[in-house]
Amino acid sequence: MAVNLETRPGGDTPGHPTSKDIHASSRSSRLNVITGLIGAAIGYLLGYWLGTDIAHNYARVQSTGQNNVAIILGYLFGTVGWLAGLGILNYPLAKITGRYAAEVGHEGGGASRYFKYTLDHKVVGTQYLVGMLIYFFTGGLFALGIRTELLSPTYHIWSPDAYIQIVGEHGTMMMMMMTSVITGSFGNYLVPLMIGSRRMAFPRLEAASFWLTPAAYIILLTSFVFGGFDSGWTGYSPLAIQAKAGQDSYLVAFGLMALSMIIASTNFVATIINLRAPGMRWSRLSAFTWSTFFTSFVMGLAAPVLLLGLFMQGMDRSAATAFFVDAHGGSAYLWENVFWFFGHPEVYILALPGFGVVSEMLPVFARKPLFGYKTAIAGMLGVSVLSFFVWQHHLFVSGMNPDMRPLFMLTTELISIPTGIIYLVAMGTLWKAKLRLTVPMMFVLAMYFNFLIGGISGVFVSDVPADVTEHGQFFVIAHFHYTIMGGLIFAFFGGIYYWLPKMTGIMLDQKLGKIHFWLMFLAFNSTFFPMFIIGDLGQPRRVFEYASKLTSLNQWATISAYVLGISMIVFIWNFLYSTLISKPPAPENPWHSRGLEWMTSSPPPLNNFDRIPIVLSDPYSYGDPSAPPVADLRVGPVPTVAAAGGGQINSGGEV
C-alpha cells in the first residue's frame, strides 16, 4: 500500500492534513451511539414521510390501513441514518469527494471506544460479545414468557395473538443472535491473533458488520409497536404476506443480519487467505480458524439467498408483486425452498464455530495433540459442502414431490458422516487423556454430551416415516435445542471462560463459574429432555392449549426453564463482578496453551505483536518435548509505514 505524498488543495505540506482537516477529524472522533440514534430518528422520519407520499400517490395503502411502504422505507432510511451518525460513512464519502479522509478507531483507551465506530478488531470482537449476550438474554426472556404460558393448559397469561408473537420474537431473536455469537465475538477478536496478523483485512467492513446488528435488534423489537408478526421465525407465506405491519420489522431486521453475515464472511475469508504470518501454513492453522474459514464460505453462499428472499417478500407486501402469492401466479411453496436453502446451512453456520471452539480447548485440557487434526478439518469441509444438499428435509410434509423424499433423506443421513468424524476426533483426543476439569473444560464435555443427544434425535426427524409423525411437535423443539443451544451456546460459554483472560487480563471467578455450569447443565437437560416425551405424546408447537395429561411434564419443563434463567443470573453476576469490581488479574497464559494468541500480552496491545511472528510449529504438539515453540517473536519483521485504516505495513508486505 503506497503512502499518498501528493499535495492536496489548501495543504501546505505534502501528505499532511490542514488545520481544517484536523478539526474535521476531531469532530469525527466524537461520533458515537448517541449521534447514531439521532441519525436513526432523522432517517426514519424522512423515510416514513417519503414512503407515505409514495403510497398515497400510487394507492398502496392496504385495506387494513397499514402502510408497508412507509414502514419499510422508514427502517431502511433509519438504518442509513444510524450508520451515518456513527461516522461509518465519513471515510467513503470523503474519498469519493476528494476530501481528507479522517482516520478513526484509535483515539486512545477507555470505555467510550466500545460505543464508537472503531477499526480495532479486538474492540469489535468485544462489542460483538456484549451485543450477542444482550440478544441472548432478551431471547431468553421471551422463552420464559412462553414457558410461563405453558404452566397450565387452560389458564392463560397471554392472548393467542400475543403468545404467537412472543414465539416469533423468541425464535427470530435467537436465530439472528446465533449466526454471529461465536464468529462475531471470538472470530473477530481471535482470528487475527491466531494467524499472526495485526488486523482484519477490511477493518471498516468489520466494524460495519457489527453496527448493523444493534439496528436489527431495535427494529425487531419495534414489531410490537406495529402489532407483532404471526409467521414465526421462518416467515412462511401466505401468513407473512397477510400479516400486520409488524412483519415488516421481521423482514428488515433479518435482512440487516443477513447483510452483516455477508460482510463478515467476506472479511474472514480475505483475512485468513492473505494475512497469515510467515510460516503459518494451512496445516498449522488452529481448528477454530479452520471452522471460521468454512463457516464464512457457508455464510457467504447462503446469506444472499435469505436476503433476496426477504426482499421479494417485502416487495409482495409493499409493491403488489406476487413472488409468493399463489392467487396471482406466485408460489408460497417457493418461499419454503428459498428460506430453507439458507436455513439448513445456517444450522452448520451455528454448529461449525462451536466445534471449532471446543476443538481448540480440548487439547489444552487433555494435554494431548488434537487427535486426527487433518481428519477433523476434512470433516468440517464435508459438513460445509453437504449442508447445501439437505434443505428439503424440512419440507417432507409440505406437499413436495414424493419422489424427492428418498434423495433428501439420503443426503441428510450422509451429512451425519462428516459430523460424526468431527465427534470421533474429540473422543480420540479424550482417550487416555489426563484431563484438567477447569470450568472451560466442563462446558466442553457438556457440549459433546448434549450434541450426542441432539444428533441421535436428529435421525428420527431426518427419515420420512418418523418425520411425518414428529413434524410440528415438541420433539422437534427438543432436538433443535439440544443441537444448537446444547452445542453452540455451551461452547460459547466455555469460550468466554477460556478466552476472557486474554481479552481483558481478568479471570472470572472459578467457583461461581462451576455453580453457573452445574445449574445451566442440569437445568438445560431438565428443561428440554421432557419435551421429547411431550412431543411423542402429541403436543404441537406454537399452540398454548394442550391435553391436561401433559400438565405435569409442562410444569416440570417450565420450572426447569426458570432454574436455567437463574444460572444466567449467576453468570451475569460473575461477569460484572469480576470485570468491573474485583478485577482479579489473569496470568499471561493461565491455561498453558500453545495457541499463538497466547504469545502476546493479555489484553493484547493495539497492534497485537511488536514483531510479526515467524511461525515454527502447529499449536497442538502437547506432550512432545522435542516440539519447537509455536512461533518466534524475536526475529520477525518490524512495521515501518503506517497504513490507511489503522493497520501497518511490514517489510514482508503484510498489511
Side-chain angles (χ1 to χ4, degrees), residues 66-247:
Q66 66 189 34
N67 186 342
N68 294 318
V69 179
I71 294 170
I72 291 175
L73 285 182
Y75 282 143
L76 294 179
F77 277 63
T79 301
V80 174
W82 163 254
L83 299 178
L86 289 165
I88 292 179
L89 305 181
N90 290 3
Y91 185 85
L93 291 177
K95 298 293 283 187
I96 290 171
T97 57
R99 295 182 292 107
Y100 172 71
E103 297 295 342
V104 298
H106 300 309
E107 303 89 355
S112 63
R113 58 185 167 153
Y114 297 106
F115 298 92
K116 294 180 180 180
Y117 166 57
T118 177
L119 304 186
D120 186 347
H121 71 93
K122 298 178 290 297
V123 174
V124 175
T126 306
Q127 289 170 331
Y128 259 114
L129 176 64
V130 176
M132 293 305 108
L133 282 172
I134 293 172
Y135 262 86
F136 177 69
F137 294 137
T138 305
L141 290 175
F142 287 128
L144 290 179
I146 296 169
R147 290 310 318 172
T148 302
E149 173 59 46
L150 294 176
L151 272 170
S152 170
T154 55
Y155 179 79
H156 300 305
I157 297 174
W158 314 111
S159 67
D161 193 46
Y163 177 76
I164 201 64
Q165 289 172 23
I166 292 172
V167 170
E169 286 278 346
H170 165 72
T172 308
M173 183 74 70
M174 286 300 200
M175 294 309 297
M176 287 168 55
M177 174 274 298
M178 284 188 276
T179 59
S180 301
V181 66
I182 287 182
T183 54
S185 53
F186 299 141
N188 282 293
Y189 198 105
L190 295 169
V191 164
L193 291 165
M194 288 180 168
I195 65 174
S197 174
R198 293 179 173 275
R199 64 177 178 93
M200 294 287 285
F202 305 112
R204 286 183 169 76
L205 290 181
E206 178 191 29
S209 72
F210 166 72
W211 285 110
L212 287 170
T213 63
Y217 174 85
I218 294 171
I219 288 172
L220 186 64
L221 289 180
T222 58
S223 69
F224 288 116
V225 178
F226 299 107
F229 56 94
D230 303 329
S231 65
W233 78 274
T234 56
Y236 274 7
S237 297
L239 278 175
I241 307 300
Q242 303 165 356
K244 298 183 284 290
Q247 190 73 36

Side-chain angles (χ1 to χ4, degrees), residues 439-470:
V439 174
M441 187 60 177
M442 294 166 72
F443 277 97
V444 169
L445 296 176
M447 181 272 186
Y448 284 111
F449 176 86
N450 296 333
F451 196 86
L452 179 62
I453 296 176
I456 293 172
S457 60
V459 174
F460 294 91
V461 294
S462 67
D463 291 336
V464 175
D467 184 66
V468 169
T469 301
E470 307 290 356

